Amino acid sequence: MNRYDFNAVVLDTYRHLDQYVNNFKKIESVKSDLLWGNQQKIENPWLSVIIPTYNRTGLLKEAIDSVLSQKSVDFMWEVIVIDNTPLDEDGSTPALRIIEKQNDSRILYFHNEENIGSGYNWNRGVEKARGTWVSFLHDDDILYPDALRNIRRILMQRKNSSKPVGYLQARVDEFTDGEKAIRKPCNQRKYILELTRLGTLITYYTRTGTPTCGTTILKQAFLNCGGINYDFGPTADAVLGYQIMRDYTVIMSDCTFGGYRWGANESLRIETAKKLIYADHLLAEYCYKLTVFSKIWGSVFEKAQLDMNLRVKMRSLEKNGIYVDKKELMDPTFSYKTLFFCDKIYWICSRSYRVFCCIKAIVKGFFCR
């Protein structure tokens, strides 16, 4: 097994989900060289935008340009490109050549001497970041011009929360390779939604998905969790959000920060979908055992939630033209059979909870103005 494999799912890791693991230690032997940029040019940045990359060209340029073209803000920020691509015979990479042409002092380019995988490259980016906050962007996605302004606005609005904000999940617009990421009209919401562990139990999802398009995390909160742990498999990013929820406030933005390219990618493979279903359920099983209420909830609705997740994954595959029989995705070790009324009751409960959270967020937003 590749020691940097981000698709492995280690069962025992889920059983000790809240136990601290230093995931930075897993890559400490790999050196990352600063091949472009001067850290003295920008002192004490408030925010670091991290772009991990591997063998990307034109789309990477679009991603970097979308950050460099941000509207002016009242804080210092930096861009960190962290590259897994092997150096060529000229001692360069496609990403380095792009950055050299852009010649912007806000960019720092680090090259990993060994490919540490797309997963652990996020951790290395955080290690190199100097900002109080770290904001993530995939190398094929883009930020909208006012993304950094909105990040600052939301975090300042919530700085006096009862628990400090540790995680800001970005809303995104999805687009494919054949489309342009164009901001949809009326994308501004009237509320900032709070994401909690209770919500994860009720709805089955943390809603802290793939960190990109301006998803922003307090660096200290990221470090306190030991970084992203890919022993959790393809659900590792969702688990990170869940871990941060224990000690910090986790929120979802009230507007879209950028465009997410959802074309043919790793998550749209049948084998990856199977692993996602398995990993999602392991996270749910951990949630079920925490309190008396969660144990009762799990005993009643576990199979209904599992079946719901199965259907969601099928729709995601179908969206990309991949049609699969339900039985192909079902894990043989799980029982999906549930009573009809449990499905209906669960649907009513989960929808009612979501409506309650939205109303609560609207009221809270009104008084926070």
Side-chain angles (χ1 to χ4, degrees), residues 23 35 39 70 88 131 215 223 246 257 260 291 310 334 350:
N23 298 290
L35 300 185
Q39 293 176 311
Q70 289 291 299
D88 58 25
T215 290
L223 297 176
R246 184 179 63 177
F257 288 167
Y260 172 72
T291 66
L310 183 66
F334 297 155
S350 62

Side-chain angles (χ1 to χ4, degrees), residues 51-53 55-69 79 81 94-103 107 137-143 261:
I51 308 178
T53 189
N55 204 28
R56 190 79 75 177
T57 53
L59 296 181
L60 172 64
K61 184 179 185 303
E62 289 182 21
I64 297 174
D65 285 344
S66 74
V67 184
L68 298 180
S69 61
V79 183
V81 178
L96 181 54
R97 283 188 280 270
I98 289 171
I99 290 168
E100 287 173 338
K101 288 182 179 179
Q102 288 171 318
N103 192 27
I107 302 176
L137 181 66
H138 282 177
D139 62 358
D140 60 345
D141 295 337
I142 64 168
L143 288 183
R261 195 184 307 269

Side-chain angles (χ1 to χ4, degrees), residues 228-297:
I228 294 180
N229 184 355
Y230 277 89
D231 286 345
F232 291 116
T235 307
D237 44 19
V239 172
L240 176 68
Y242 184 82
Q243 290 172 323
I244 291 177
M245 288 173 189
R246 184 179 63 177
D247 301 316
Y248 295 89
T249 297
V250 175
I251 55 178
M252 179 174 283
S253 65
D254 60 0
C255 61
T256 52
F257 288 167
Y260 172 72
R261 195 184 307 269
W262 64 267
N265 57 48
E266 183 65 24
S267 65
L268 295 175
R269 295 174 61 245
I270 295 176
E271 287 304 314
T272 303
K274 289 181 179 179
K275 289 183 178 180
L276 280 166
I277 292 169
Y278 178 59
D280 287 346
H281 190 64
L282 291 179
L283 173 58
E285 285 188 325
Y286 181 83
C287 297
Y288 295 150
K289 71 179 185 180
L290 295 181
T291 66
V292 173
F293 172 76
S294 64
K295 289 175 182 177
I296 296 172
W297 180 271

Side-chain angles (χ1 to χ4, degrees), residues 213-230:
C213 297
T215 290
T216 303
I217 303 176
L218 183 68
K219 181 176 178 178
Q220 190 58 54
F222 195 102
L223 297 176
N224 289 348
C225 290
I228 294 180
N229 184 355
Y230 277 89

